[in-house]
Amino acid sequence: MTGRIAIVTGAGNGLGAAFAEALAAKGNAVVVNNRRHADRPFTPDEVVRRIADAGGTAMTDGNAVDAPGAAERIVASAIDRWGRLDALVLNAGISGPAVKVGAGDTQLEQVLAINLTANHRLVEAALPHLRRSSAGRIVFVSSTGGLHGVRGRSAYAASKGALNGYALSLAAELRRDAIGVNVLGPYAATKMTAQPGQEPDPLLAPEGAAEACAWLASAECGRTGEIWVAGAGHVRAARAMESVTMRFSPDALSALAAMPEPRGYQGGEAAFADFYQDITGE
């Protein structure tokens, strides 16, 4: 096997399937992961068939990402079949119930277990192999909800905000290993975003975010520690920003709320250093 080897979690349909097919079209051999459901067909079989019909290479993996030992088994699927791993696309996730804070159980623990903890375990299992790759890549599939919040989906927004912070921290830690780590926030019409009685917007087909994902997972992509929003074949950059600094007063809050002279930072240490320089002039 001469091409790159990639794992895509939650790839039985929707965005994950589109990501897997885009990676395969770029020459990656792909592990198409998705949990098995006893009462439904195993959809990764169809994804692998489409990849094979297009001349690509793929295999299925039926582990639920949050099951005990799943991370090691998913990574072993790639290693046992192809002997190495080059890219990890962490797409599996759930939105949780639509419940406002204070109106009942938001299932925060379950959402975090799948959207954050399972991804952490997969990274831990994959890192030894990614370090041996000539161009290891990790793509965290997140959401702009983790940047801006989502009304009625506080558990989901919290999990994605945590995922963003985890990914950016990991990017800083892995720079010396030449492992690229980026976050992709896709805008797409999927089962997770479907509204009863409404047809999905064809402009927001999952394939519209897949090219960006395949690029971020490629050896050619030299970017790391960034958040990218993609959909409909378009892309924009996103990051947390801080304004200029003023001495505290209620009037200062009003002036700063408009974010004058916004600044972005690579890491919390850089943000603090800039704040300290503003207040001391040093």
Side-chain angles (χ1 to χ4, degrees):
M1 175 60 61
T2 57
R4 286 170 61 78
I5 313 301
I7 292 171
V8 183
T9 64
N13 51 56
L15 281 164
F19 295 157
E21 292 180 55
L23 282 161
K26 296 292 186 182
N28 295 265
V30 184
V31 175
V32 180
N33 161 266
N34 205 84
R35 71 177 63 222
R36 292 182 183 273
H37 298 276
D39 58 340
R40 306 178 210 169
F42 187 52
T43 52
D45 287 336
E46 175 62 19
V47 178
V48 169
R49 185 193 65 76
R50 291 198 300 266
I51 289 173
D53 288 349
T57 302
M59 64 172 288
T60 64
D61 177 274
N63 285 284
V65 293
D66 58 330
E72 291 76 14
R73 292 193 297 272
I74 294 168
V75 171
S77 294
I79 303 305
D80 293 347
R81 177 74 175 270
W82 293 302
R84 72 172 198 274
L85 178 63
D86 301 291
L88 187 62
V89 177
L90 297 164
N91 171 71
I94 62 172
S95 62
V99 180
K100 291 183 179 180
V101 175
D105 182 14
T106 61
Q107 298 183 22
L108 177 64
E109 292 82 3
Q110 181 185 2
V111 176
L112 285 171
I114 294 175
N115 293 2
L116 178 65
T117 305
N119 287 329
H120 164 68
R121 290 174 178 164
L122 276 158
V123 167
E124 291 288 316
L127 269 180
H129 307 286
L130 293 174
R131 285 191 169 105
R132 288 193 283 272
S133 170
S134 60
R137 301 287 182 263
I138 302 173
V139 181
F140 289 88
V141 180
S142 186
S143 167
T144 54
L147 293 170
H148 311 305
V150 183
R151 186 177 59 184
R153 299 279 183 182
S154 59
Y156 176 76
S159 72
K160 293 303 187 178
L163 188 67
N164 293 345
Y166 176 76
L168 298 180
S169 300
L170 190 67
E173 294 175 10
L174 295 180
R175 285 179 188 274
R176 291 185 178 180
D177 294 313
I179 296 176
V181 181
N182 288 288
V183 177
L184 180 66
Y187 285 137
T190 67
K191 289 182 179 180
M192 186 181 291
T193 62
Q195 298 294 321
Q198 294 185 16
E199 290 296 317
D201 186 343
L203 183 64
L204 295 177
E207 290 74 16
E211 184 179 1
C213 179
W215 169 253
L216 292 173
S218 71
E220 292 76 20
C221 178
R223 313 199 68 86
T224 192
E226 297 170 338
I227 301 174
W228 296 96
V229 180
H234 292 69
V235 67
R236 60 164 53 161
R239 66 171 63 177
M241 307 293 287
E242 298 185 20
S243 71
V244 294
T245 311
M246 294 182 180
R247 182 170 292 279
F248 172 77
S249 72
D251 288 341
L253 298 186
S254 297
L256 293 175
M259 292 295 292
E261 300 179 37
R263 310 167 184 178
Y265 304 95
Q266 292 231 337
E269 299 91 344
F272 169 73
D274 188 59
F275 178 85
Y276 194 80
Q277 183 177 38
D278 274 1
I279 64 175
T280 62
E282 298 177 359

mmCIF file of all heavy atoms in Angstrom, residues 188-202 204:
data_model
loop_
_atom_site.group_PDB
_atom_site.id
_atom_site.type_symbol
_atom_site.label_atom_id
_atom_site.label_comp_id
_atom_site.label_asym_id
_atom_site.label_seq_id
_atom_site.Cartn_x
_atom_site.Cartn_y
_atom_site.Cartn_z
ATOM 1 N N ALA A 188 -23.773 21.907 6.840
ATOM 2 C CA ALA A 188 -24.309 20.905 5.922
ATOM 3 C C ALA A 188 -25.682 20.452 6.385
ATOM 4 O O ALA A 188 -25.983 20.449 7.589
ATOM 5 C CB ALA A 188 -23.372 19.703 5.826
ATOM 6 N N ALA A 189 -26.505 20.068 5.437
ATOM 7 C CA ALA A 189 -27.817 19.492 5.732
ATOM 8 C C ALA A 189 -27.643 17.995 5.970
ATOM 9 O O ALA A 189 -27.290 17.246 5.057
ATOM 10 C CB ALA A 189 -28.766 19.741 4.568
ATOM 11 N N THR A 190 -27.829 17.560 7.206
ATOM 12 C CA THR A 190 -27.657 16.164 7.584
ATOM 13 C C THR A 190 -28.835 15.717 8.439
ATOM 14 O O THR A 190 -29.724 16.502 8.764
ATOM 15 C CB THR A 190 -26.355 15.971 8.384
ATOM 16 O OG1 THR A 190 -26.489 16.656 9.649
ATOM 17 C CG2 THR A 190 -25.148 16.526 7.637
ATOM 18 N N LYS A 191 -28.811 14.451 8.847
ATOM 19 C CA LYS A 191 -29.856 13.957 9.750
ATOM 20 C C LYS A 191 -29.858 14.743 11.055
ATOM 21 O O LYS A 191 -30.909 14.979 11.656
ATOM 22 C CB LYS A 191 -29.638 12.472 10.036
ATOM 23 C CG LYS A 191 -29.935 11.553 8.858
ATOM 24 C CD LYS A 191 -29.737 10.093 9.237
ATOM 25 C CE LYS A 191 -30.063 9.180 8.072
ATOM 26 N NZ LYS A 191 -29.864 7.747 8.436
ATOM 27 N N MET A 192 -28.683 15.175 11.514
ATOM 28 C CA MET A 192 -28.594 15.916 12.768
ATOM 29 C C MET A 192 -29.258 17.285 12.666
ATOM 30 O O MET A 192 -29.814 17.797 13.635
ATOM 31 C CB MET A 192 -27.123 16.062 13.188
ATOM 32 C CG MET A 192 -26.929 16.700 14.543
ATOM 33 S SD MET A 192 -25.183 16.900 15.008
ATOM 34 C CE MET A 192 -24.676 15.205 15.248
ATOM 35 N N THR A 193 -29.212 17.898 11.480
ATOM 36 C CA THR A 193 -29.751 19.250 11.327
ATOM 37 C C THR A 193 -31.150 19.268 10.716
ATOM 38 O O THR A 193 -31.734 20.336 10.559
ATOM 39 C CB THR A 193 -28.826 20.102 10.445
ATOM 40 O OG1 THR A 193 -28.749 19.519 9.127
ATOM 41 C CG2 THR A 193 -27.420 20.174 11.029
ATOM 42 N N ALA A 194 -31.681 18.098 10.353
ATOM 43 C CA ALA A 194 -32.967 18.029 9.668
ATOM 44 C C ALA A 194 -34.095 18.570 10.545
ATOM 45 O O ALA A 194 -34.121 18.359 11.761
ATOM 46 C CB ALA A 194 -33.274 16.587 9.266
ATOM 47 N N GLN A 195 -35.032 19.281 9.906
ATOM 48 C CA GLN A 195 -36.208 19.822 10.573
ATOM 49 C C GLN A 195 -37.442 19.108 10.039
ATOM 50 O O GLN A 195 -37.596 18.948 8.825
ATOM 51 C CB GLN A 195 -36.329 21.326 10.323
ATOM 52 C CG GLN A 195 -35.158 22.149 10.855
ATOM 53 C CD GLN A 195 -35.070 22.115 12.365
ATOM 54 O OE1 GLN A 195 -36.080 22.143 13.065
ATOM 55 N NE2 GLN A 195 -33.849 22.031 12.874
ATOM 56 N N PRO A 196 -38.345 18.680 10.910
ATOM 57 C CA PRO A 196 -39.547 17.976 10.460
ATOM 58 C C PRO A 196 -40.334 18.788 9.436
ATOM 59 O O PRO A 196 -40.575 19.981 9.617
ATOM 60 C CB PRO A 196 -40.356 17.792 11.755
ATOM 61 C CG PRO A 196 -39.341 17.861 12.848
ATOM 62 C CD PRO A 196 -38.303 18.825 12.382
ATOM 63 N N GLY A 197 -40.697 18.119 8.332
ATOM 64 C CA GLY A 197 -41.504 18.772 7.308
ATOM 65 C C GLY A 197 -40.743 19.671 6.364
ATOM 66 O O GLY A 197 -41.347 20.271 5.474
ATOM 67 N N GLN A 198 -39.410 19.776 6.538
ATOM 68 C CA GLN A 198 -38.609 20.636 5.672
ATOM 69 C C GLN A 198 -37.636 19.802 4.848
ATOM 70 O O GLN A 198 -36.967 18.911 5.374
ATOM 71 C CB GLN A 198 -37.815 21.653 6.495
ATOM 72 C CG GLN A 198 -38.678 22.665 7.220
ATOM 73 C CD GLN A 198 -37.837 23.725 7.926
ATOM 74 O OE1 GLN A 198 -36.642 23.881 7.652
ATOM 75 N NE2 GLN A 198 -38.463 24.466 8.830
ATOM 76 N N GLU A 199 -37.582 20.093 3.559
ATOM 77 C CA GLU A 199 -36.635 19.427 2.683
ATOM 78 C C GLU A 199 -35.234 20.002 2.898
ATOM 79 O O GLU A 199 -35.090 21.212 3.118
ATOM 80 C CB GLU A 199 -37.031 19.602 1.218
ATOM 81 C CG GLU A 199 -38.281 18.843 0.819
ATOM 82 C CD GLU A 199 -38.090 17.341 0.942
ATOM 83 O OE1 GLU A 199 -37.024 16.842 0.541
ATOM 84 O OE2 GLU A 199 -39.004 16.670 1.458
ATOM 85 N N PRO A 200 -34.190 19.159 2.867
ATOM 86 C CA PRO A 200 -32.832 19.684 3.036
ATOM 87 C C PRO A 200 -32.449 20.610 1.892
ATOM 88 O O PRO A 200 -32.873 20.418 0.751
ATOM 89 C CB PRO A 200 -31.964 18.419 3.042
ATOM 90 C CG PRO A 200 -32.784 17.375 2.361
ATOM 91 C CD PRO A 200 -34.209 17.693 2.680
ATOM 92 N N ASP A 201 -31.681 21.617 2.210
ATOM 93 C CA ASP A 201 -31.214 22.579 1.213
ATOM 94 C C ASP A 201 -30.142 21.916 0.351
ATOM 95 O O ASP A 201 -29.079 21.557 0.861
ATOM 96 C CB ASP A 201 -30.633 23.809 1.927
ATOM 97 C CG ASP A 201 -30.259 24.926 0.964
ATOM 98 O OD1 ASP A 201 -30.133 24.660 -0.245
ATOM 99 O OD2 ASP A 201 -30.070 26.054 1.440
ATOM 100 N N PRO A 202 -30.380 21.744 -0.957
ATOM 101 C CA PRO A 202 -29.370 21.074 -1.801
ATOM 102 C C PRO A 202 -28.044 21.823 -1.855
ATOM 103 O O PRO A 202 -27.003 21.223 -2.117
ATOM 104 C CB PRO A 202 -30.045 21.027 -3.177
ATOM 105 C CG PRO A 202 -31.108 22.075 -3.138
ATOM 106 C CD PRO A 202 -31.569 22.139 -1.725
ATOM 107 N N LEU A 204 -26.515 22.853 0.610
ATOM 108 C CA LEU A 204 -25.737 22.452 1.776
ATOM 109 C C LEU A 204 -25.550 20.939 1.854
ATOM 110 O O LEU A 204 -25.496 20.359 2.932
ATOM 111 C CB LEU A 204 -26.411 22.968 3.051
ATOM 112 C CG LEU A 204 -26.457 24.490 3.190
ATOM 113 C CD1 LEU A 204 -27.201 24.882 4.450
ATOM 114 C CD2 LEU A 204 -25.054 25.087 3.186
#
